[in-house]
């Protein structure tokens, strides 16, 4: 049986190891902050971190996460993560909110790699995350704000 | 009954503690004119009392919208559906303003299905749409808050033996003349024993501390930034199963036979059942259900194999001028005016079907138990959903319990008068309930493809227009024909169609705020096997494009500035003229721009709100448009939550731009081509312009903002493109055209 370390805790996986990680995270682990939006790596609603890198969990088989660190929105802990969430709250980025776990996961990964991103860096890193409510204007502003608070 | 693992049902889902500013509502529905007739028009029983609401809490509940607990926690019951538009925060802001409670202690929960208590006062039915949430709730929530406050004050006055006039209330603290202090919870029990006063005076708006202020934050930000907000997708009930339905591959296709042996062999698959929507595969988890569905062998007949969107456009063009038109307005002078015109525009405009493509694909949980049907879902129209769920379950409406959760967007999709995703969940729950082990809750989940290919689109339309200008530049004649499906036909609102005119097909063309004499408007409403639906701003999605690009062309023919031309036709419309002037001023209308950039403008009145936009557009190296900046001016009466009004304008711009650039659902041989986001493109962050929003200060009653920001965007961009390239777009989306700078 496969073991996965999710949000710091090792868990056994009962599902077939080829099941997309998204459904194991949601249906088996009960971590429902990670969303389903398209199932084909188009929308980013299912974004999680595997060893700190963003990954579309709907299109990754579960065995790929074996022996690696899986982090979902529920397990965010880093200073960058807290800064991103705070900036999101300060600017009231969310509308329906359904895409926002994925947006935040992508933004946190961006700041980990690029602490002071330009607008272009943001566009490149976030282009895989659809927000149908089109909160993009505030997403850009919130990422800059979080970056500013981290380097201040 | 313990339902969720954390012991809660459909309440306080996203209502952690507050911090806000609100918004408004986004969905569409009837325009206000038609709305008055809504109750009578409904062919559904109204007035069903719901299943028991949330258990009565101890403390003080002066009305159906407010509960105050002994620990002073204030809970507001929100009667509108939260789809992101911020109406939860908006309604809470209005209640808290009049109640003078501590905003930081406010909690919110969603109302049960109970039409008499929680109806939308604009419709008479319980539901959210037509950008009415704040507008219809404004007087009602103010009165509810003020009444509760008066009772708390009376209770404190009795306790301290002073006059109510000597008492002050601020941020949840009640203060007496001798320095007495009480929290709401301290006098809640005494207040609960008092008679409910009538017609309590409301606050003077100049004393508002929350309404119109920037510090009032969304109540749901924290839950939605931490993954804790509970959507239908996330509902977990003991023994719950998940189902997906194999649906007809083409409109009208019928199932001839199916073989489910391979599907049943998939680990985790529990049941395969035939339902009116298709064949449902019910499993222990989503992936198992999907694998089971893949393993089904299905034999469908061809369905409407001749159905094609191109053929539909051709057919619509042929109808213009033929038999069967309904008259929207008629002027004897149209024909002569056109004949004598010195200059004219003669154009046909084509608008494709559009999918809503909300981020959370449609879903609903249903459970038949103890003689009732209970559902969990994004119930945007509880009155419909309750009645249709009852019909599907074969139970009376009183035996339906709806638990309304926040939804991952709607844009009109969840406000359908057939309750499609609620009904299919009930159908599956009912079908499995007779099987051994089948008396369990089931979540029916549509995939993105199910949702996108399932119909319920903004209808395809054409407009054929002839406008003549006299030699002096005045409009001499205006002949306008609209062809497209009626949204209301065939549903419970069909009786709102008067003399063949579904107002939602022509709103924005007629009536018009422009001083147009000599106008004749006709409407053809052909039927199609594709079910149409409201889509954020409804008829205005296409009518504003035609009217506002025409205004630009006419201004050009008359050699007038596009803003001045409009202002001249809006002399009786100070509020629309006001936003146009404001957008022009703030957007620097007419300023010199670097080569390769052009400005465009449009204004539109919808859902009782006035919006104007000035856009700056350039071309990408591949010749597609890049919208760089949008300046929005909006007049929506009293701005309840200014930052959420801005948020809705930003969202409307992005949503409108997605449709203008890319939005198109095509049908060939009865089948929908687009199934997912790589085929039906929506806006991504690199395409998002800078948006600057200016709100007109106002003391008029508040009106909606969820939709009215959409209509002006596409025509403003088209007008800028015409200036930049000399090309006039008459068929949407822009992706169909290649632009080159003039
Ligand atoms: S659900 Fe994985 S990218 Fe859309
Ligand atoms: S907030 Fe609704 S999809 Fe992003």
């Amino acid at each position: 049986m496969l073991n996965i370390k999710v949000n710091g805790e090792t868990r056994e996986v009962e599902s077939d190891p080829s099941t997309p990680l998204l459904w194991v995270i949601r249906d088996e682990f009960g971590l429902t902050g990670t969303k389903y939006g398209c199932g084909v790596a188009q929308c980013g609603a299912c974004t999680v971190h595997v060893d700190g890198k963003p990954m579309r969990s709907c299109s990754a088989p579960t065995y790929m996460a074996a022996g690696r660190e899986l982090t979902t929105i529920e397990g965010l802990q880093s200073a960058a993560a807290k800064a991103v969430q705070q900036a999101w709250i300060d600017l009231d980025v969310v509308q329906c909110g359904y895409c926002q776990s994925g947006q935040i996961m992508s933004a946190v990964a961006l700041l980990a790699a690029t602490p002071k991103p330009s607008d272009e860096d943001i566009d490149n890193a976030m282009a895989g995350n659809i927000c149908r409510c089109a909160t993009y204007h505030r997403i850009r502003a919130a990422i800059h704000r979080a970056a500013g608070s981290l380097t201040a | 009954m313990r339902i969720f693992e954390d012991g809660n049902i459909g309440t306080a889902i996203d209502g952690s503690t507050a911090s806000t500013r609100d918004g408004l509502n986004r969905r569409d529905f009837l325009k206000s004119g038609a709305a008055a007739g809504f109750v009578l028009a409904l062919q559904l029983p109204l007035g069903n009392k719901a299943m028991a609401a949330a258990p009565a809490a101890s403390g003080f509940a002066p009305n159906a919208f407010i509960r105050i607990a002994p620990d002073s926690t204030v809970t507001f019951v929100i009667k509108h559906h939260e789809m992101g538009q911020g109406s939860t925060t908006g309604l809470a802001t209005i209640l808290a303003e009049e109640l003078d409670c501590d905003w930081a202690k406010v909690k919110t929960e969603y109302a049960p299905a109970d039409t008499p208590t929680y109806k939308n006062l604009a419709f008479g039915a319980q539901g959210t749409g037509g950008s009415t949430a704040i507008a219809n709730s404004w007087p009602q929530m103010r009165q509810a808050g003020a009444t509760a406050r008066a009772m708390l004050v009376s209770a404190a006055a009795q306790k301290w033996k002073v006059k109510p006039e000597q008492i002050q209330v601020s941020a949840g603290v009640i203060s007496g003349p001798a320095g007495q202090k009480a929290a709401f919870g301290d006098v809640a029990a005494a207040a609960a024993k008092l008679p409910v006063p009538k017609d309590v005076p409301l606050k003077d708006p100049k004393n508002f501390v929350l309404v119109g202020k920037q510090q009032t934050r969304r109540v749901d930000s924290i839950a939605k930034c931490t993954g804790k907000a509970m959507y239908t997708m996330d509902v977990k009930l003991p023994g719950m199963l998940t189902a997906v339905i194999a649906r007809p591959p083409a409109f009208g296709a019928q199932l001839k036979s199916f073989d489910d042996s391979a599907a049943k062999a998939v680990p985790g698959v529990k049941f395969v059942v035939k339902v009116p929507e298709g064949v449902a595969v019910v499993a222990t988890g989503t992936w198992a259900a999907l694998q089971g569905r893949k393993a089904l062998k299905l034999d469908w007949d061809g369905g409407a194999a001749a159905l094609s969107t191109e053929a539909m456009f051709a057919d619509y063009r042929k109808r213009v001028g033929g038999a069967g038109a309904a008259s929207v307005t008629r002027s004897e002078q149209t024909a002569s005016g056109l004949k004598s015109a010195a200059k004219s525009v003669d154009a046909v405009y084509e608008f494709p079907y559009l999918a809503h493509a909300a981020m959370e694909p449609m879903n609903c949980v249903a459970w038949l138990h103890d003689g009732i049907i209970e559902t969990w879902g994004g119930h945007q129209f509880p009155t419909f959903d309750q009645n249709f769920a009852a019909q599907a379950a074969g139970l009376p409406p009183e035996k339906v319990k709806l638990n309304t959760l926040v939804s991952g967007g709607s844009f009109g999709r969840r406000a359908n008068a057939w309750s499609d995703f609620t009904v299919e969940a009930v159908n599956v729950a009912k079908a499995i309930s007779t099987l051994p082990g089948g008396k369990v809750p089931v979540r029916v989940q549509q995939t993105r493809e199910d949702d996108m290919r399932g119909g319920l689109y903004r209808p395809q339309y054409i407009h054929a227009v002839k406008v003549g200008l006299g030699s002096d530049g005045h409009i001499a004649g205006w002949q306008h024909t609209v062809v497209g499906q009626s949204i209301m036909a065939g549903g419970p609102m069909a009786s709102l169609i008067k003399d063949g005119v579904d107002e939602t097909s022509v709103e924005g063309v007629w009536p018009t705020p422009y001083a147009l004499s000599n106008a004749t408007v006709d409407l053809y409403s052909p039927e199609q096997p594709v079910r149409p639906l409201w889509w954020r701003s409804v008829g205005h999605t296409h009518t504003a494009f035609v009217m506002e690009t025409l205004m630009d062309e006419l201004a050009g023919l008359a050699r007038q500035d596009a803003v001045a031309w409009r202002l001249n036709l809006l002399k009786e419309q100070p509020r629309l003229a006001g936003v146009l002037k404001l957008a022009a001023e703030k957007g620097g209308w007419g300023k010199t721009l670097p080569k390769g950039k052009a400005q465009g403008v449009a204004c539109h009145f919808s859902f009782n709100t006035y919006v104007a936009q000035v856009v700056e557009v350039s071309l990408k190296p591949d010749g597609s448009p890049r919208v760089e900046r949008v300046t929005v001016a909006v007049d929506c009466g009293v701005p309840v939550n200014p930052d959420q009004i801005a948020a809705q304008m930003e969202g409307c711009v992005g949503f409108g731009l997605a449709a203008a650039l890319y939005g198109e659902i095509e049908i060939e041989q009865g089948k929908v081509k687009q199934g997912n986001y790589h085929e039906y493109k929506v806006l991504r962050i690199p395409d998002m312009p800078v948006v600057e929003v200016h709100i007109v200060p106002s003391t008029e009653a508040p009106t909606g903002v969820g939709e009215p920001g959409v209509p002006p965007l596409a025509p403003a961009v088209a007008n800028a493109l015409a200036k930049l390239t000399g090309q006039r777009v008459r068929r949407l989306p822009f992706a169909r055209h290649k632009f080159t700078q003039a």
Side-chain angles (χ1 to χ4, degrees):
Chain A
M1 204 173 267
L2 203 64
N3 283 324
I4 288 191
K5 200 167 175 196
V6 52
N7 299 334
E9 191 190 325
T10 302
R11 298 184 69 156
E12 269 184 9
V13 178
E14 284 171 24
S15 306
D16 186 286
S18 66
T19 304
L21 190 52
L22 171 65
W23 302 116
V24 171
I25 290 170
R26 289 185 52 86
D27 291 352
E28 205 181 313
F29 297 165
L31 296 169
T32 54
T34 306
K35 302 300 191 215
Y36 162 76
C38 71
V40 293
Q42 281 291 318
C43 77
C46 65
T47 306
V48 296
H49 294 170
V50 175
D51 290 341
K53 300 267 178 325
M55 182 186 264
R56 311 293 182 223
S57 65
C58 69
S59 301
T62 297
Y63 60 74
M64 274 188 59
R68 300 164 79 181
E69 298 266 347
L70 171 65
T71 308
T72 68
I73 184 86
E74 292 90 347
L76 282 181
Q77 300 256 317
S78 68
K82 298 289 155 208
V84 166
Q85 285 172 313
Q86 192 57 50
W88 246 246
I89 292 161
D90 290 346
L91 298 185
D92 269 352
V93 170
V94 305
Q95 290 189 25
C96 84
Y98 194 80
C99 74
Q100 299 293 349
S101 297
Q103 304 282 2
I104 287 171
M105 296 307 284
S106 290
V108 171
L110 166 65
L111 289 188
T114 313
K116 267 274 176 216
S118 64
D119 275 347
E120 203 185 331
D121 294 332
I122 292 173
D123 281 0
N124 289 335
M126 305 299 291
N129 287 85
I130 291 172
C131 175
R132 194 62 178 130
C133 301
T135 61
Y136 301 123
H137 189 63
R138 292 181 188 219
I139 287 174
R140 268 189 208 134
I143 292 174
H144 285 307
R145 185 184 176 99
S149 76
L150 283 167
T151 51
Chain B
M1 186 189 309
R2 189 158 176 274
I3 297 294
F4 289 128
E5 261 134 27
D6 63 0
N8 214 341
I9 297 185
T11 56
I13 289 303
D14 67 344
S16 35
T17 45
S19 38
T20 300
R21 156 194 330 228
D22 138 332
L24 252 271
N25 120 41
R26 122 168 345 150
R27 240 295 39 259
D28 8 292
F29 206 44
L30 299 173
K31 50 187 293 182
S32 54
F38 187 74
V39 180
L40 298 173
L42 275 174
Q43 290 144 16
L44 287 169
L46 285 176
N48 301 307
K49 255 311 209 191
M51 295 295 299
S58 58
F60 173 42
N63 52 54
F65 303 101
I66 299 174
R67 290 201 312 267
I68 298 168
D71 70 355
S72 297
T73 304
V74 173
T75 302
F76 293 142
V77 181
I78 302 299
K79 68 173 186 168
H80 284 295
H81 182 45
E82 180 64 54
M83 308 162 269
Q85 81 280 36
S87 39
T88 308
T89 304
L91 267 55
T93 302
I94 302 169
L95 284 160
E97 179 68 69
E98 292 289 349
L99 182 59
D100 276 320
C101 61
D102 180 358
W103 181 249
K105 285 203 178 133
V106 165
K107 288 181 192 262
T108 56
E109 64 181 47
Y110 294 103
D114 177 351
T115 300
T117 308
Y118 295 112
K119 62 179 173 278
N120 184 327
L121 300 174
F123 304 154
Q126 189 179 355
T128 302
S131 295
T132 57
I134 295 298
N136 93 91
S137 305
W138 172 248
Q140 185 184 31
M141 295 304 131
R142 288 186 76 189
Q143 195 61 50
T147 304
R149 181 188 189 277
M151 293 169 78
L152 293 167
V153 166
S154 293
Q158 284 179 11
K159 181 173 170 186
W160 295 330
K161 306 208 177 356
V162 300
K163 290 205 180 73
E165 301 77 58
Q166 294 173 285
I167 287 181
Q168 312 258 330
V169 187
S170 171
V173 179
I174 307 170
S175 311
Q180 304 96 321
K181 300 270 178 219
F184 284 8
D186 301 338
V187 292
K193 297 198 183 91
L194 299 173
V196 179
K198 281 214 169 20
D199 299 324
V200 175
L202 303 176
K203 254 191 198 176
D204 184 332
K206 73 174 193 299
N207 298 326
F208 283 162
V209 293
L210 296 171
V211 167
K213 309 295 178 201
Q214 293 289 346
Q215 73 274 15
T216 319
R217 312 301 301 178
R218 280 189 77 107
V219 294
D220 51 1
S221 268
I222 295 168
K224 288 177 175 177
C225 291
T226 51
K228 292 195 179 109
M230 171 83 67
Y231 301 81
T232 307
M233 184 83 192
D234 310 327
V235 170
K236 268 235 168 357
L237 301 165
M240 190 181 87
L241 299 174
T242 302
V244 292
I245 299 176
R247 297 160 196 274
F251 289 101
Q254 300 290 327
L255 187 65
K256 291 197 283 190
S257 64
F258 70 100
D259 172 359
D260 61 7
S261 47
K264 281 183 164 157
V266 170
V269 170
K270 292 273 192 201
F271 310 106
V272 177
V273 288
K274 198 167 175 302
V275 287
E277 292 78 11
V279 179
V281 178
V282 187
T284 49
T286 317
W287 187 243
L290 287 167
Q291 295 305 102
R293 181 169 79 168
K294 226 180 180 174
L296 283 174
K297 289 193 186 63
L298 301 153
D299 188 11
W300 301 91
D301 73 14
L307 187 71
S308 116
T309 39
E310 280 309 314
M312 203 181 286
F313 274 134
D315 170 56
Y316 286 7
R317 284 191 295 264
K318 267 190 263 162
R319 286 174 191 253
V320 178
S327 174
V328 180
T329 185
R330 183 162 301 280
S331 159
E332 295 306 326
Q333 280 94 50
T334 304
S336 57
L338 284 173
K339 216 178 210 169
S340 66
K343 291 177 181 169
S344 60
V345 180
D346 185 346
V348 176
Y349 302 81
E350 293 167 307
F351 300 91
Y353 279 119
L354 294 175
H356 306 80
M359 281 306 290
E360 181 183 18
M362 298 303 112
N363 46 19
C364 184
V365 176
W367 185 16
L368 269 166
H369 67 91
D370 306 303
I372 69 163
I373 179 82
E374 185 166 7
T375 67
W376 289 258
H379 295 302
Q380 188 174 345
F381 251 85
T383 297
F384 291 144
D385 294 350
Q386 181 185 13
N387 281 287
F388 285 116
Q391 253 172 41
L395 291 168
E398 315 81 78
K399 298 285 183 194
V400 177
K401 182 175 179 188
L402 302 183
N403 300 281
T404 300
L405 309 189
V406 298
S407 62
S410 172
F411 316 114
R413 179 62 182 81
R414 296 173 202 274
N416 70 80
W418 306 274
S419 304
D420 67 318
F421 56 89
T422 302
V423 167
E424 67 189 28
V426 173
N427 285 338
V428 174
K430 193 178 165 195
I432 62 170
S433 70
T434 56
L435 304 172
K439 285 196 176 29
V440 289
V442 59
R443 173 171 58 96
V444 176
Q445 180 65 50
Q446 297 194 5
T447 61
R448 171 61 53 204
E449 291 82 359
D450 293 340
D451 191 355
M452 193 167 282
R453 296 204 164 111
L456 294 161
Y457 304 135
R458 194 289 302 273
Q460 188 164 313
Y461 288 97
I462 73 155
H463 288 232
V465 191
K466 288 191 179 88
V467 186
L469 287 189
S471 48
D472 57 352
H474 81 283
I475 293 170
W478 189 296
Q479 172 79 52
H480 199 133
T481 306
V482 180
V483 187
Q485 284 168 268
S486 159
I487 296 171
M488 292 201 284
M493 285 164 292
S495 56
L496 288 176
I497 300 171
K498 291 280 175 281
D499 300 322
V501 178
D502 177 340
E503 286 185 37
T504 69
S505 298
V506 293
E507 57 185 2
V509 167
W510 202 264
T512 174
Y514 290 112
L516 287 191
S517 51
N518 315 323
T520 292
V521 181
D522 290 322
L523 171 66
Y524 297 84
S525 305
E527 288 176 15
Q528 300 294 350
V530 184
R531 197 170 255 187
L533 190 60
W534 346 93
W535 189 98
R536 197 176 190 175
S537 79
V538 199
H540 302 281
T541 55
H542 51 105
T543 60
F545 186 85
V546 174
M547 296 304 282
E548 286 303 299
T549 56
L550 268 173
M551 283 298 155
D552 238 59
E553 279 192 83
L554 295 170
L557 287 180
R559 301 195 188 288
Q560 283 196 35
D561 171 74
V563 171
W565 168 264
R566 286 174 173 82
L567 289 175
N568 194 40
L569 291 168
L570 292 173
K571 289 191 182 123
E572 309 290 312
Q573 297 285 337
R575 293 178 74 185
L576 190 54
V579 292
L580 180 57
K581 283 188 243 177
L582 184 61
E585 178 207 322
K586 300 290 184 185
W589 178 249
K591 71 182 172 193
T592 315
L593 290 167
K595 197 174 154 39
K597 258 196 215 189
Q599 284 180 318
V601 67
C603 62
H604 197 72
F605 169 72
S606 62
F607 309 95
N608 298 318
T609 290
Y610 306 82
V611 181
Q613 294 171 356
V614 169
V615 302
E616 287 177 28
V617 176
S618 62
L619 294 182
K620 295 181 192 171
D622 67 358
S624 62
R626 181 197 304 282
V627 180
E628 300 191 2
R629 169 176 282 274
V630 182
T631 306
V632 183
V634 52
D635 178 351
C636 55
V638 173
V640 174
N641 297 99
D643 189 54
Q644 285 305 305
I645 294 168
Q648 283 310 297
M649 292 299 121
E650 294 158 15
C652 283
V653 162
F655 196 83
L657 185 55
L661 292 176
Y662 311 117
E664 176 161 28
I665 288 284
E666 295 166 283
I667 301 169
E668 280 172 16
Q669 297 180 323
K671 295 184 179 160
V672 178
K673 267 170 78 177
Q674 291 76 14
N676 210 317
Y677 288 123
H678 57 294
E679 295 152 324
Y680 184 79
K681 277 182 77 181
V682 297
L683 207 75
R684 292 176 185 270
I685 197 168
D687 273 336
M688 185 71 190
V690 172
V691 184
E692 192 183 296
V693 180
H694 300 274
I695 302 169
V696 175
S698 175
T699 53
E700 301 281 338
T703 53
V705 295
E707 297 169 276
V710 172
L713 192 275
V717 175
N719 291 338
L721 282 169
K723 216 182 275 176
L724 193 62
T725 67
Q727 294 163 263
R728 269 286 162 199
V729 176
R730 307 239 193 253
R731 176 165 183 176
L732 289 178
F734 298 152
R736 285 191 159 267
H737 310 276
K738 189 147 185 67
F739 297 92
T740 36
Q741 202 179 320

